[in-house]
Amino acid sequence: GVVRKPPPSEFILIPQRPYLSLGTLRDQVIYPHSQQEMLARGVNDEKLYEILQKVQMGHIVEREGGWDVAREWHSTLSGGDKQKLAWARLFYHNPKYAILDECTSAVPLEVEQVLMDTATQLGITLLTVSHRPSLWKYHHMILQYDGQGGYVFTELDAEKRLALQEEKQALETKLLEVNNMKLRLAELKALVAERNSR
């Protein structure tokens, strides 16, 4: 096969800690575009507000004093709000591909679902780096590294994989209980031996 890197205009990277520029709230959503570029694309503040609503941040426009308020957003927003703002940026640019690097780690699962569903509805192909099994249902393939230089690239059956993950966690929990049971058994044997020696 042939691997081709798409042109920069067709993909966006959303890291766990997204870049927030010095500038207005509008600048954060449309970055790296300018307001003139935004308007040339036929997008206005009303459309940006709709995008913020999709990421459950519509309240921020009024809370922060409007679109033209400039702040040091990196220190103003919580980790979850920064991640949601990065998703708003993704929806504004609406690329063909998005590389998501742990970019939902600070948002609740129900918000994560809304973000992933919206990206899927927009037709954005998602390449995701994550430790959250909740994201598996949005993908058809998985690339898993073994930590020793090898990897497996295969189809992803999310339901089956989630069931196996849950079974593994249940077994690990039971295995943790084994040591406690062994200690208790030793205590009981000591008590019985002490009673029998009297």
Side-chain angles (χ1 to χ4, degrees), residues 129-149:
V129 176
S130 180
H131 292 93
R132 282 181 129 171
S134 56
L135 294 173
W136 292 346
K137 65 184 174 183
Y138 298 100
H139 300 82
H140 306 289
M141 302 295 291
I142 186 167
L143 173 62
Q144 188 168 20
Y145 293 98
D146 64 11
Q148 312 217 336

Side-chain angles (χ1 to χ4, degrees), residues 19-25 27-28 31 69-75:
Y19 174 73
L20 298 177
S21 64
L22 291 174
T24 67
L25 178 58
D27 293 337
Q28 306 317 304
Y31 178 83
V69 172
R71 297 218 191 297
E72 194 167 317
W73 297 101
H74 196 70
S75 59

